[in-house]
Amino acid sequence: MSQTLLIPMPDNERLAGRLADQLDCGTGELITRRFPDGETYLRFNTELGKRSVAIVCTLAHPDEKFLPLIFAAATARELGASKVGLVAPYLAYMRQDRRFNPGEAVTSRQVAHLISQAFDWMVTVDPHLHRYGDLSEIYSIPTRVVHAAPLVSRWIKENVEKPLIIGPDSESEQWVTAVASDAEAPYCVLQKVRHGDRDVRITLGNLDAWRGRTAVLVDDIISSGRTMIEAVRLLAAQGWPPPVCIAVHGLFADRSDELLVGAGARVVITNSVGSGRSQIDIAPLLGEAMGALADLGPPDSAGRRPRPHGS
Ligand code: R5P
């Protein structure tokens, strides 16, 4: 019988609860607080026994979360957990995938190393795989990637008439082609050059062939929002009505969501980061992916997985 226990890191309780319902497994409690000097106090308030543990922690703003996460994984092991997995709907640092300038840290690889040391498996949603073809190039533990494209396509089909799917840069092409194909819509990919964290230049080209359609910008991440904001601005300059801006991960640094809404755009994201703006639920796909890695046991005849003892 399954012994899997879901442990949410702070602010991940809702998603962990959804996954626990879906997988019919228990959730445990982890108490954390800061000492006056800023160090982390952490205590499992649930008996772990020899259960398989899955820690749920989305990794937006990762620096403040990472050390407590590593402490939690190490403590779970010390307390006897048979396996310790990580459910990280948003996986941070993936965009630092090359030494762009001499002396820079390739932090994607370093984070991968630290997570691989601390955990037995990991499930995530659409990591930013650009120069890496697959997470296995940097992660040495088993990983499963959930793709939000089918959910994004479904949302577009249900909510947008005559969409034109637009990728704001070449890196978005992998998501845009998948979404456009499922949504049975035409697509195009723009050219973007980034000059700095908040300085991007985009070439829109001539989109006249698709006049009368609704522009739907699709990207994996909205961070500073400069990519989306610039694309929205250029579309407006060509006389297009405000577009729909869809991203898998809404990080929304610099209040970029408010800026986009202020420019008339409709902003749509998944709940990978837990923003109140999310309209697309990735929990069911995450649960399915976990089933393949966590020790959840076989489903019963109704498709439910066994509830661990004592939960
Ligand atoms: C980068 O290539 C990504 O796909 C996104 O386009 C980028 O991370 C968005 O960042 P920002 O919102 O800061 O422009």
Side-chain angles (χ1 to χ4, degrees):
M1 182 174 274
S2 165
Q3 294 286 304
T4 299
L5 188 64
L6 289 167
I7 306 281
M9 293 300 287
D11 300 328
N12 291 267
E13 293 81 2
R14 202 161 155 210
L15 178 62
R18 299 275 318 282
L19 292 171
D21 284 348
Q22 183 186 344
L23 299 167
D24 198 18
C25 58
T27 55
E29 189 189 6
L30 182 71
I31 297 169
T32 62
R33 68 177 176 86
R34 293 261 182 221
F35 286 110
D37 57 9
E39 293 181 1
T40 293
Y41 170 87
L42 188 147
R43 179 166 78 90
F44 281 89
N45 202 25
T46 303
E47 185 66 41
L48 302 187
K50 299 226 174 300
R51 288 173 174 182
S52 169
V53 163
I55 298 180
V56 182
C57 185
T58 197
L59 285 170
H61 302 288
D63 291 12
E64 63 206 45
K65 294 178 183 152
F66 206 74
L67 208 47
L69 178 65
I70 299 294
F71 290 155
T75 307
R77 260 189 228 292
E78 286 171 16
L79 295 175
S82 58
K83 265 187 174 184
V84 185
L86 172 62
V87 181
Y90 174 65
L91 184 58
Y93 278 108
M94 287 300 292
R95 286 173 293 172
Q96 309 306 316
D97 57 1
R98 199 178 90 184
R99 210 178 310 284
F100 297 97
N101 295 294
E104 282 178 352
V106 184
T107 41
S108 52
R109 213 184 297 142
Q110 292 158 3
V111 167
H113 177 71
L114 291 167
I115 289 178
S116 298
Q117 295 280 305
F119 290 92
D120 294 308
W121 54 265
M122 181 180 73
V123 171
T124 189
V125 180
D126 284 320
H128 187 84
L129 290 170
H130 179 205
R131 291 173 188 88
Y132 303 121
D134 192 276
L135 283 180
S136 62
E137 288 176 35
I138 50 174
Y139 281 78
S140 56
I141 51 174
T143 58
R144 287 285 184 286
V145 169
V146 166
H147 296 289
L151 301 178
V152 171
S153 308
R154 192 194 308 159
W155 188 92
I156 292 171
K157 273 183 153 173
E158 290 173 356
N159 292 280
V160 184
E161 257 184 59
K162 293 180 69 185
L164 166 64
I165 315 295
I166 303 177
D169 56 27
S170 59
E171 291 168 45
S172 66
E173 186 155 7
Q174 55 185 301
W175 291 282
V176 167
T177 49
V179 167
S181 147
D182 279 3
E184 296 163 336
Y187 76 90
C188 62
V189 175
L190 311 182
Q191 299 299 318
K192 177 177 95 177
V193 181
R194 185 178 285 280
H195 296 281
D197 292 345
R198 293 173 178 79
D199 182 7
V200 300
R201 308 283 159 84
I202 292 178
T203 309
L204 193 60
N206 187 342
L207 305 184
D208 281 349
W210 294 292
R211 288 277 175 198
R213 288 187 168 267
T214 303
V216 180
L217 290 155
V218 174
D219 207 352
D220 60 334
I221 297 170
I222 300 177
S223 177
S224 73
R226 291 298 134 186
T227 301
M228 285 288 190
I229 290 165
E230 180 63 358
V232 171
R233 189 186 69 76
L234 292 169
L235 283 166
Q238 274 199 13
W240 284 72
V244 181
C245 295
I246 306 183
V248 179
H249 309 291
L251 302 180
F252 299 137
D254 304 342
R255 299 186 163 200
S256 48
D257 52 342
E258 290 170 26
L259 293 175
L260 283 166
V261 170
R266 181 171 182 188
V267 178
V268 175
I269 52 163
T270 77
N271 52 353
S272 70
V273 176
S275 156
R277 286 196 187 278
S278 65
Q279 299 187 36
I280 298 174
D281 181 15
I282 40 84
L285 293 183
L286 270 179
E288 272 175 37
M290 281 179 67
L293 288 174
D295 178 24
L296 292 164
D300 64 17
S301 55
R304 307 275 290 175
R305 291 183 185 274
R307 182 173 289 278
H309 293 302
S311 58

